[in-house]
Amino acid sequence: MKKILSLNEDVLSLSNRPSYRRSRVKSTRQSDLAFEIVVSHYNENLDWLKQHSDECCVYSKGGKTNAPQPPLTSTPLPNIGREGHTFLYHIVNHYENLAKVTLFVQGRIDDHVDMTVAEMKAKALTTAPGQVTTYPFRELELFEHWEGIPWEKYPCWKRWSSMTMQKMQETPLELFQKYISEDDRVPVAIGFAPGAIFAVNKKTIMRHNKAFYQRLLHKMFLGKMAHVNPETGHYMERFWLALFNPSEYVQWDDSDVSNAERNPDGSSNANEALNISFVQAGQQSPVKLSTFHPKFTYPIFGEEECIFGYQGLNITIRFAAHNLLPNVSVKSDKKFKTVNDTKALNIEETLSEWLPDGGFETPAEFNHKIQYDTSARDWKPPGELIESYQSRGRSFEIWCADLTDPAVQRLIDRIQILVSLFIEGGTPIPLDDQDWSLAKWRIFFVYEKLSSLTSSSTSPYSLVGYCSTYRFSTFRPSLRSSPTEGKPPLTFTLPLESPTSTNSTSDETTEAFTLSNLPFRARISQFLILPPHQSHSHGTHLYNTIYTHFLHTSTCTEIT
């Protein structure tokens, strides 16, 4: 379910926000809670929670005189917004370290629930992602008063309207469509649990980003709605289930036309918004050889894989197919206006940590470089050609080189963002390490050797994939008790500054030494075949070539 926000509306003006004691909330907060009970308290007796005090996060709105007694502790909040304000406040302030499952309750529940806390916990822990666990006495109720709650019509609601109530100018339907729903259709009804007592999984909450809950908190309970009894508090009681699980708790009128694709809140799915292309010089302008989406983007854009602040977002990372020169282009239909501390994600700045500086020139400049690079026709992959093969009537080559080669470093610096986008847990290789450490890395590139070239600036090489390997030096004690007669023992000091060294007590020069002289264990580290070339046996060819290469290296003792 997408989060709804009109980007033209100043929804985050927080100048009237109450002063919260946020430091106290976070001071003893654990980051790996399996279960937590969030309690919205005023002056109710919380003895029913004492045996579970270590699992409770109590927010008290009744002042010092009504604060719960030990062993329970509490965080004071201003008495506004009913339980909806409390629950949203908790989500916003603990978004990064929510419990795996959170049970939201009011200070008194015996008028809505006939279960012990232990029973409620056991039921809550069964809550799967995408689901909401409820605890009503009776069946869930339906809410269908989209033009406004008729407070005086129903006796059970009269007591709320008899209190001073801050009325909301927008109707429930307008709020639902703008902040809860995924489109402009009018629901027939939504299900809700009276008392707003429910359990929800962390992953379900995090389907919406933090900014979504901040906007909802402000719209419903801050500013002019910062009131002890705002009408929006009753609306949120009815909206919770539809917010977290619309497929089960929202009944749509199928005759309405869906508008789900509008994505009006500006939260874009990063996996869908990001396009990766490989290009080469064409007859008049660069042409695409392939385009694909990443497998995941959480290492770059966060666990939710969402990008806030844009409508119609399109991010394209283009690579020159031969030398992997990158270029980033960001386009959108609309960008969210900065309001106070809330602003659209700076995509270029975010990606700058993953790509070299040259990747952010204008698309026109990039196109000119690709189209008029006269050196491209003669370009070859760095290192040594160690294997050639045919597949489906096309020619491919495998090249091998150490990471100390500056040309190899340039290629890896440009392309290893793909490691984080396609290899689970993959991390970039630190290229600023010392040469003796970089020498332990050996890189294998797979390139297609193109036979048909469209222009004088078209390179015959196009990347298919690559693999990085690391050589762990091994120590094998010699069985000899003394050096061979006439030959001094092989000695060295890291870092290696010269292939030869002179004995300090004589003019003799010892045997030339490099890391390749040492026995080593070869480990395959990062192995990536680009999506357009997968299922064509290139991985098999690359793996067998790496195996054969190290098998015939005399100092290699093991391949893993």
Side-chain angles (χ1 to χ4, degrees):
M1 179 176 65
K2 296 185 177 74
K3 291 76 69 179
I4 306 305
L5 170 67
S6 170
L7 296 185
N8 293 323
E9 184 175 3
D10 179 358
V11 298
L12 287 174
S13 177
L14 304 183
S15 58
N16 294 323
R17 175 171 54 188
S19 175
Y20 297 148
R21 295 170 63 180
R22 297 176 64 175
S23 60
R24 181 173 176 184
V25 178
K26 297 184 177 182
S27 59
T28 59
R29 180 77 179 176
Q30 296 184 35
S31 60
D32 56 348
L33 294 174
F35 174 75
E36 186 173 37
I37 305 172
V38 172
V39 185
S40 181
H41 172 259
Y42 177 60
N43 62 0
E44 301 88 352
N45 187 327
L46 298 185
D47 286 350
W48 58 280
L49 284 170
K50 284 187 175 181
Q51 293 184 358
H52 300 268
S53 60
D54 58 337
E55 296 176 315
C56 290
C57 179
V58 180
Y59 296 95
S60 184
K61 298 182 174 182
K64 292 183 179 180
T65 57
N66 291 313
Q69 300 300 310
L72 290 165
T73 59
S74 65
T75 297
L77 289 182
N79 187 21
I80 60 172
R82 301 170 54 80
E83 78 282 346
H85 165 265
T86 305
F87 296 170
L88 284 173
Y89 176 83
H90 177 83
I91 292 172
V92 166
N93 283 273
H94 294 304
Y95 186 84
E96 290 79 12
N97 56 358
L98 292 165
K100 183 177 180 180
V101 174
T102 301
L103 170 60
F104 293 92
V105 300
Q106 298 187 38
R108 177 187 175 187
I109 65 170
D110 60 1
D111 55 341
H112 288 98
V113 178
D114 187 19
M115 298 175 70
T116 65
V117 178
E119 291 170 338
M120 294 177 71
K121 176 182 177 180
K123 186 177 180 181
L125 291 176
T126 66
T127 307
Q131 302 297 313
V132 184
T133 297
T134 60
Y135 303 86
F137 270 155
R138 50 194 180 278
E139 295 295 322
L140 295 179
E141 295 184 9
L142 293 178
F143 175 71
E144 50 193 0
H145 300 288
W146 293 112
E147 295 307 313
I149 297 177
W151 298 105
E152 299 299 327
K153 185 175 179 180
Y154 297 91
C156 62
W157 292 347
K158 279 186 178 180
R159 69 188 182 98
W160 295 119
S161 61
S162 63
M163 295 172 58
T164 300
M165 177 183 287
Q166 180 65 40
K167 292 296 187 74
M168 185 64 177
Q169 182 177 355
E170 288 99 323
T171 65
L173 177 60
E174 290 171 331
L175 293 171
F176 185 86
Q177 290 177 331
K178 185 177 288 188
Y179 294 96
I180 306 296
S181 175
E182 64 181 358
D183 55 42
D184 289 334
R185 290 184 295 169
V186 178
V188 175
I190 58 175
F192 74 100
I197 301 169
F198 57 92
V200 64
N201 191 286
K202 173 182 180 178
K203 291 183 178 180
T204 304
I205 296 176
M206 297 188 77
R207 286 182 176 181
H208 304 284
N209 59 30
K210 184 176 180 178
F212 166 73
Y213 292 107
Q214 289 173 325
R215 297 191 297 273
L216 191 58
L217 174 63
H218 178 261
K219 185 64 180 179
M220 294 295 192
F221 302 116
L222 302 182
K224 67 177 182 179
M225 301 310 294
H227 190 273
V228 64
N229 184 33
E231 195 171 26
T232 48
H234 303 278
Y235 292 169
M236 274 308 302
E237 180 182 4
R238 289 150 176 80
F239 288 168
W240 285 113
L241 304 188
L243 186 154
F244 290 129
N245 189 1
S247 62
E248 182 172 347
Y249 295 108
V250 180
Q251 179 184 349
W252 296 104
D253 181 352
D254 293 333
S255 65
D256 288 332
V257 179
S258 174
N259 193 24
E261 300 305 317
R262 284 200 318 141
N263 186 27
D265 78 326
S267 291
S268 303
N269 184 305
N271 296 340
E272 297 174 0
L274 180 56
N275 299 277
I276 301 166
S277 297
F278 281 75
V279 302
Q280 67 175 191
Q283 291 183 352
Q284 296 181 348
S285 61
V287 294
K288 292 181 181 179
L289 299 180
S290 61
T291 299
F292 47 93
H293 293 290
K295 187 175 182 180
F296 32 68
T297 54
Y298 68 84
I300 299 175
F301 296 110
E303 184 177 343
E304 287 184 277
E305 299 184 322
C306 281
I307 300 172
F308 171 71
Y310 301 85
Q311 287 182 6
L313 178 63
N314 184 288
I315 307 170
T316 300
I317 303 179
R318 293 186 295 167
F319 293 95
H322 62 298
N323 65 8
L324 309 181
L325 184 70
N327 178 251
V328 176
S329 173
V330 179
K331 297 180 181 179
S332 64
D333 296 335
K334 187 177 290 187
K335 185 176 179 180
F336 180 74
K337 246 185 210 181
T338 299
V339 181
N340 294 331
D341 294 331
T342 301
K343 58 185 177 181
L345 177 71
N346 188 326
I347 296 172
E348 289 87 351
E349 181 179 310
T350 301
L351 290 174
S352 67
E353 299 179 12
W354 301 82
L355 289 168
D357 293 339
F360 298 91
E361 60 190 358
T362 67
E365 292 172 327
F366 176 78
N367 291 343
H368 187 273
K369 282 186 177 180
I370 299 300
Q371 190 63 26
Y372 300 102
D373 180 9
T374 56
S375 65
R377 178 64 71 103
D378 299 322
W379 185 91
K380 289 185 178 181
E384 174 189 4
L385 174 62
I386 60 173
E387 180 68 21
S388 298
Y389 65 94
Q390 298 284 318
S391 177
R392 304 190 182 192
R394 295 156 67 179
S395 300
F396 299 88
E397 297 178 352
I398 299 177
W399 294 70
C400 170
D402 288 346
L403 196 52
T404 50
D405 185 337
V408 177
Q409 291 184 31
R410 282 194 296 272
L411 291 181
I412 294 300
D413 190 31
R414 292 169 177 176
I415 200 64
Q416 64 179 347
I417 185 177
L418 297 188
V419 169
S420 299
L421 296 177
F422 288 97
I423 300 177
E424 185 75 50
T427 56
I429 298 173
L431 298 177
D432 57 353
D433 213 338
Q434 298 183 57
D435 284 350
W436 68 266
S437 180
L438 292 176
K440 289 177 171 288
W441 289 97
R442 180 161 290 180
I443 311 298
F444 297 81
F445 294 101
V446 183
Y447 273 90
E448 180 177 3
K449 185 74 175 290
L450 303 172
S451 58
S452 177
L453 306 181
T454 57
S455 80
S456 59
S457 298
T458 302
S459 170
Y461 287 97
S462 175
L463 184 73
V464 171
Y466 79 98
C467 175
S468 62
T469 63
Y470 190 81
R471 291 171 287 181
F472 289 92
S473 299
T474 59
F475 174 69
R476 295 187 301 179
S478 173
L479 296 177
R480 295 176 301 178
S481 58
S482 60
T484 303
E485 183 177 353
K487 280 192 175 183
L490 183 63
T491 61
F492 63 92
T493 301
L494 294 179
L496 303 174
E497 298 179 352
S498 171
T500 61
S501 60
T502 302
N503 191 299
S504 60
T505 60
S506 69
D507 294 332
E508 295 182 13
T509 301
T510 65
E511 175 183 347
F513 178 83
T514 65
L515 278 177
S516 60
N517 296 132
L518 286 176
F520 66 89
R521 292 181 293 110
R523 175 170 297 175
I524 294 176
S525 178
Q526 302 158 334
F527 196 106
L528 175 65
I529 301 297
L530 301 180
H533 299 283
Q534 293 175 5
S535 302
H536 292 179
S537 300
H538 297 299
T540 300
H541 281 288
L542 178 57
Y543 179 83
N544 288 338
T545 300
I546 294 171
Y547 176 80
T548 301
H549 173 80
F550 284 122
L551 186 66
H552 290 90
T553 302
S554 60
T555 51
C556 181
T557 62
E558 181 179 318
I559 307 171
T560 58

